Amino acid sequence: MTTATLKRPPAPGLPAAAVRKLRAVPLAPAVAAAVVLFFVVAALAPQLLTGRDPLVIDLANALQPPSVAHPFGTDQSGRDLYTRVIYGSRESLLIGLGATALATAIALVLGIASGLGGRLADGAISRGLEVLFAFPVLLLAMLFVTIYGPSVTTQIVAVGLGTAPGYARMIRGQVLAVRHSGYVEAAHALGHSRWTVLSQHVFPNAMRPLVAVITLGIGQSIVWASGLAFLGLGVAPPSPEWGALLDAGRMFITRAWWLEVMPGLAIVAIALAATSLGQFIQQKLEGAPS
């Protein structure tokens, strides 16, 4: 006599496949995604995270240390530092995203032109990139901001121009590697047109690593822009941009350590989170175990 085995119905909630995928995500990328999501919410809807005004001055509470009422303390004008860090997310992320987008656009044009052009075009572009590589990113950015004046726009352009040569060299190398690969040569041998080969084989495979690099570049751009602001070449006060907060707080560092530590932690947090996500994406694209 055989007995039938009763199958227990699946528990309500997420599908089993979705649960397995969530459990397969490593802890570091999950935490990084949560940090990035927090700052994205802070940039898009800061009123959800704080009910204070970042510009309201309260001299009676100037330079108050971190407390329950003011988790990050107050600045020299009595403004709540937590609120200013939250509202500063918008400008800082805007600079990071804008500079990375500009650098990527410039790098795509130069890298593809160098990788697909003839020997003359490749040589000219490569020599130009080598000249730009001779100057540090911060030096090029400082030169541009000094000429055109400090603002969010000039910071985006300055950091974008400074970081574009690195992206361009990477794209050039990828295009050259894919261009001379076996499957591209096979596509040519099968009679596919040049545009078909480029659009279906060269560009998709050459641009794949760029996804991870862009994610990494956002955090790096925020750090470069904060460095410009710390040197007095950023947006003018009373902007709560993180680099501007560091610049304003350095005069009081011996009396109010939180003015430097709290914005600095925000910069470190978003940079580390973007780097962790970039590495995770790169591992997934390469098919490596994470």
Side-chain angles (χ1 to χ4, degrees):
M1 181 176 180
T2 59
T3 58
T5 302
L6 297 178
K7 293 184 178 181
R8 181 179 298 177
L14 292 174
V19 174
R20 286 195 298 269
K21 288 182 179 181
L22 288 175
R23 290 178 177 175
V25 177
L27 179 61
V31 173
V35 172
V36 171
L37 179 61
F38 174 82
F39 284 115
V40 169
V41 172
L44 298 178
Q47 65 275 7
L48 296 179
L49 302 176
T50 177
R52 299 177 184 268
D53 190 326
L55 301 179
V56 171
I57 295 175
D58 183 10
L59 295 178
N61 289 314
L63 298 180
Q64 293 294 316
S67 62
V68 176
H70 302 284
F72 287 6
T74 63
D75 64 6
Q76 64 276 16
S77 299
R79 295 170 294 205
D80 183 66
L81 189 58
Y82 168 76
T83 300
R84 289 179 63 74
V85 169
I86 292 298
Y87 274 85
S89 303
R90 179 174 301 175
E91 290 183 344
S92 297
L93 291 183
L94 176 62
I95 293 172
L97 291 170
T100 304
L102 177 62
T104 303
I106 296 173
L108 283 172
V109 174
L110 295 178
I112 293 175
S114 180
L116 297 179
R119 181 176 300 178
L120 182 60
D122 185 26
I125 294 175
S126 297
R127 299 296 83 76
L129 292 177
E130 289 175 0
V131 171
L132 293 177
F133 266 116
F135 298 92
V137 175
L138 189 59
L139 181 60
L140 286 175
M142 287 175 60
L143 178 63
F144 185 88
V145 174
T146 301
I147 294 174
Y148 293 99
S151 68
V152 172
T153 302
T154 53
Q155 279 186 288
I156 290 175
V157 176
V159 176
L161 292 177
T163 54
Y167 296 159
R169 174 173 286 186
M170 185 207 69
I171 293 173
R172 172 187 175 273
Q174 286 294 123
V175 170
L176 288 175
V178 174
R179 180 185 179 185
H180 298 292
S181 61
Y183 57 86
V184 171
E185 293 179 356
H188 282 296
L190 290 174
H192 293 295
S193 65
R194 179 179 175 86
W195 172 249
T196 300
V197 173
L198 291 177
S199 61
Q200 296 185 6
H201 299 285
V202 176
F203 290 157
N205 290 283
M207 297 304 111
R208 184 177 298 173
L210 193 62
V211 177
V213 173
I214 289 174
T215 308
L216 295 169
I218 293 173
Q220 294 173 350
S221 296
I222 292 175
V223 171
W224 288 121
S226 299
L228 287 174
F230 182 75
L231 296 174
L233 298 175
V235 292
S239 169
E241 192 267 330
W242 293 339
L245 293 180
L246 291 176
D247 181 43
R250 62 193 175 103
M251 301 298 296
F252 303 91
I253 190 170
T254 57
R255 298 169 51 194
W257 53 267
W258 54 90
L259 295 181
E260 296 291 294
V261 171
M262 300 306 182
L265 287 177
I267 296 171
V268 171
I270 192 63
L272 289 179
T275 300
S276 179
L277 280 181
Q279 293 174 345
F280 179 71
I281 293 173
Q282 186 173 15
Q283 289 175 352
K284 289 300 181 182
L285 292 176
E286 294 175 353
S290 54

